[in-house]
């Protein structure tokens, strides 16, 4: 219950972006994290992160990551500098050799260009209205292990009808009990979103999670599941 208070309770609205997030920990507490952070009247920060390990240690690192990120973000600060500082803070207090992977998206309602930074996390996907999709492949190293690591901010255009997906590996690496080597994977995730693209962003997060659980036979999974859906109008 305490950890759930650190996650968003409401989905934000921002101009032509419809946004929703969903988190299901595999245990009572988990190491997945997502957040919606208002930067200014026109800008919204969206972050999804995954802490290595499970249970209470991962949850504590997640809480520390959240507090540090929210303390350092501002409208004038560059993402590159913010994540450089985040890496140093996590590394200097990393007594259990745990690390964090994260993606940060900066949305601006005044245009159709997103800015993003990826610190070793699963690559975000953009599904287009014609059925094709692409991966935001630019990424840097994870947070908390390597000193003086540099992080790069990238930009990418989006258009009306696009659906942006951020997710943790609990989604794509979910496996059925009868075939532990077969994973849900990117292609099934894309097909699920294409099939139900007419749904709202909130409904899509629930359908994705339901589909993953049905694929795994509702067996207990080894990792938390977190998904963020952003629909561009």
């Amino acid at each position: 219950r305490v950890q759930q208070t650190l996650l968003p309770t409401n989905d934000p609205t921002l101009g032509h972006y419809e946004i929703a997030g969903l988190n299901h920990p595999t245990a009572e507490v988990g190491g997945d994290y997502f957040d919606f952070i208002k930067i200014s009247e026109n800008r919204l920060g969206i972050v999804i992160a995954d802490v290595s390990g499970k249970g209470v240690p991962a949850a504590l690192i997640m809480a520390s990551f959240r507090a540090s990120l929210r303390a350092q973000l501002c409208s004038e600060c560059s993402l590159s500098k913010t994540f450089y500082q985040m890496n140093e803070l996590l590394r200097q207090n990393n007594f259990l050799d745990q690390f964090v992977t994260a993606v940060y998206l900066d949305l601006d309602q005044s245009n159709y260009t997103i800015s993003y930074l990826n610190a070793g996390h699963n690559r975000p996907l953009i599904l287009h209205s014609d059925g094709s999709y692409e991966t935001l492949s630019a990424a840097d190293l994870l947070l908390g292990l390597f000193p003086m690591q540099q992080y790069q901010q990238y930009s990418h255009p989006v258009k009306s009808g696009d659906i942006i997906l951020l997710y943790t590996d609990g989604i794509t690496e979910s496996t059925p009990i009868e075939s532990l080597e077969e994973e849900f994977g990117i292609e099934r995730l894309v097909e699920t979103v294409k099939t139900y693209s007419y749904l709202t962003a909130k409904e899509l997060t629930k359908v994705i999670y339901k589909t993953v659980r049905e694929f795994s036979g509702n067996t207990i999974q080894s990792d938390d599941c977190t998904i963020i859906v952003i629909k561009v109008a």
Side-chain angles (χ1 to χ4, degrees), residues 69-111:
L69 180 63
R70 280 182 160 266
Q72 294 188 67
L73 280 175
C74 66
S75 58
E76 294 81 21
C77 303
S78 72
L79 285 181
S80 299
K81 183 177 180 180
T82 296
F83 272 73
Y84 175 89
Q85 294 172 336
M86 291 284 295
N87 180 64
E88 291 300 302
L89 286 170
L90 288 169
R91 188 184 63 82
Q92 291 166 12
N93 296 281
N94 192 359
F95 305 112
L96 299 177
D97 290 330
Q98 289 181 286
F99 58 85
V100 178
T101 68
V103 167
Y104 184 94
L105 236 62
D106 190 301
L107 303 183
D108 190 330
Q109 69 175 357
S110 65
N111 58 54

Side-chain angles (χ1 to χ4, degrees), residues 129-161:
S129 57
D130 63 2
S132 63
Y133 76 93
E134 60 182 312
T135 303
L136 298 181
S137 57
D140 296 302
L141 291 179
L142 46 78
L143 298 156
L145 291 183
F146 307 107
M148 302 182 69
Q149 175 62 36
Q150 300 297 317
Y151 295 91
Q152 181 67 43
Q153 179 177 340
Y154 301 92
S155 296
H156 191 88
V158 294
K159 56 188 177 183
S160 179

Side-chain angles (χ1 to χ4, degrees), residues 9-202:
T9 55
N10 297 299
D11 296 320
T13 57
L14 184 76
H16 49 272
Y17 294 107
E18 180 191 347
I19 306 156
L22 176 146
N23 166 261
H24 276 278
T26 188
E28 288 189 5
V29 293
D32 277 10
Y33 161 65
F34 77 97
D35 208 351
F36 307 128
I37 306 169
K38 186 176 181 180
I39 306 300
S40 68
E41 287 301 318
N42 290 325
R43 289 173 54 203
L44 181 74
I46 298 177
V47 61
I48 188 168
D50 188 356
V51 180
S52 63
K54 303 290 184 294
V56 173
L60 291 173
I61 295 292
M62 184 274 276
S64 176
F65 175 84
R66 175 189 184 274
S68 298
L69 180 63
R70 280 182 160 266
Q72 294 188 67
L73 280 175
C74 66
S75 58
E76 294 81 21
C77 303
S78 72
L79 285 181
S80 299
K81 183 177 180 180
T82 296
F83 272 73
Y84 175 89
Q85 294 172 336
M86 291 284 295
N87 180 64
E88 291 300 302
L89 286 170
L90 288 169
R91 188 184 63 82
Q92 291 166 12
N93 296 281
N94 192 359
F95 305 112
L96 299 177
D97 290 330
Q98 289 181 286
F99 58 85
V100 178
T101 68
V103 167
Y104 184 94
L105 236 62
D106 190 301
L107 303 183
D108 190 330
Q109 69 175 357
S110 65
N111 58 54
Y112 279 81
T113 298
I114 61 172
S115 296
Y116 72 97
L117 185 150
N118 189 335
H121 196 75
N122 303 83
R123 276 43 172 181
L125 301 172
I126 301 181
L127 283 72
H128 304 300
S129 57
D130 63 2
S132 63
Y133 76 93
E134 60 182 312
T135 303
L136 298 181
S137 57
D140 296 302
L141 291 179
L142 46 78
L143 298 156
L145 291 183
F146 307 107
M148 302 182 69
Q149 175 62 36
Q150 300 297 317
Y151 295 91
Q152 181 67 43
Q153 179 177 340
Y154 301 92
S155 296
H156 191 88
V158 294
K159 56 188 177 183
S160 179
D162 283 351
I163 300 176
I164 307 168
L165 297 179
L166 307 180
Y167 56 94
T168 58
D169 53 15
I171 296 291
T172 52
E173 294 180 8
S174 178
T175 57
I177 193 169
E178 68 275 7
S179 178
L180 297 180
E181 294 183 357
E182 181 183 10
E183 297 181 343
F184 187 74
I186 296 294
E187 293 302 325
R188 286 188 178 89
L189 176 58
V190 168
E191 285 304 314
T192 300
V193 176
K194 286 167 61 176
T195 301
Y196 297 99
S197 60
Y198 60 89
L199 296 176
T200 66
K202 179 55 113 182

